[in-house]
Each structure stands twice: as structure tokens, then as C-alpha cells.
Amino acid sequence: PRFVDPPRPSMPRDIEYSEKYCDSKYEYRHVILPKEMTKQMPKGRLLLEGEWRGLGVQQSRGWEHYEIHKPEPHILLFRRPLGTDPRTGKIDPKLLKDALAKNHQQ
């Protein structure tokens, strides 16, 4: 049998990334996919990391797809705990302390 990689988007540059924003627990961002890409997405459930990366979404480690915005399924909502090390995807106590201090100043 011959295995075929899942199709990659032909134009990943069409994927738009928001600035990051946060609350007292999480850092957030949303990613806007071209609307035609929703045909490649599973319906009615959150995407696993391998699935959103397979669609061409490129971001550091630790992000999770946490909510489906039903009116606009091509907009993926992501979050990760404050203090997440973008290289490892794990919470770093120093980064967490810095993030909480920064968030408190705002």
C-alpha cells in the first residue's frame, strides 16, 4: 500500500493570525483560515494539534484549539496557559511569574 500525506494548503500565507491577548489565566489568539479550508476540517469537534498543523497553521508550542465559533468555523480560537514556554509547550515558573506581573500592571 502507498501512503499519501494529507493535502496541505496551497497558500498558507492566506492564513491570518491575530495578536495575542490574555486574561488572568490564559494567553489567547485566533487564526483565520480561508473559508474554503473548512471543507477539510472535521465537523462539530475541536481540532487536535496535528490536525490544525496539517491545515497549515504555524505557531509555537502549547496552543490548544479550545472553542468552535459556530457562525464562522474558519476562525480557530486558541489558548494556552500563561507562562507557557513557546519552545517546549510546558509552563515555566519564571515565565508565569513574569506574565502575571505584566498582566497585573495593565
Side-chain angles (χ1 to χ4, degrees):
R2 189 164 183 258
F3 295 98
V4 179
D5 288 333
R8 299 264 183 199
S10 57
M11 300 203 163
R13 68 182 172 274
D14 291 340
I15 296 174
E16 296 179 39
Y17 299 84
S18 75
E19 295 295 320
K20 296 175 207 165
Y21 45 100
C22 64
D23 62 17
S24 61
K25 292 184 179 184
Y26 293 99
E27 179 175 30
Y28 300 90
R29 80 167 344 156
H30 56 273
V31 176
I32 303 171
L33 302 175
K35 288 183 181 181
E36 62 273 8
M37 288 182 71
T38 57
K39 296 173 191 162
Q40 301 173 28
M41 295 169 46
K43 303 285 185 250
R45 69 171 178 80
L46 299 174
L47 301 179
L48 301 172
E49 183 174 353
E51 293 172 321
W52 53 260
R53 288 195 187 278
L55 292 170
V57 175
Q58 299 176 1
Q59 52 188 354
S60 57
R61 294 181 183 216
W63 292 100
E64 69 169 337
H65 181 216
Y66 76 98
E67 189 172 330
I68 297 171
H69 183 58
K70 290 186 182 186
E72 299 175 301
H74 66 288
I75 299 177
L76 305 181
L77 304 172
F78 291 94
R79 72 179 179 191
R80 67 180 173 190
L82 285 179
T84 300
D85 184 325
R87 294 167 303 195
T88 66
K90 299 185 186 318
I91 295 176
D92 178 315
K94 182 180 181 333
L95 292 175
L96 176 58
K97 182 180 175 187
D98 293 348
L100 290 173
K102 181 180 177 186
N103 201 16
H104 183 70
Q105 290 173 355
Q106 293 179 350

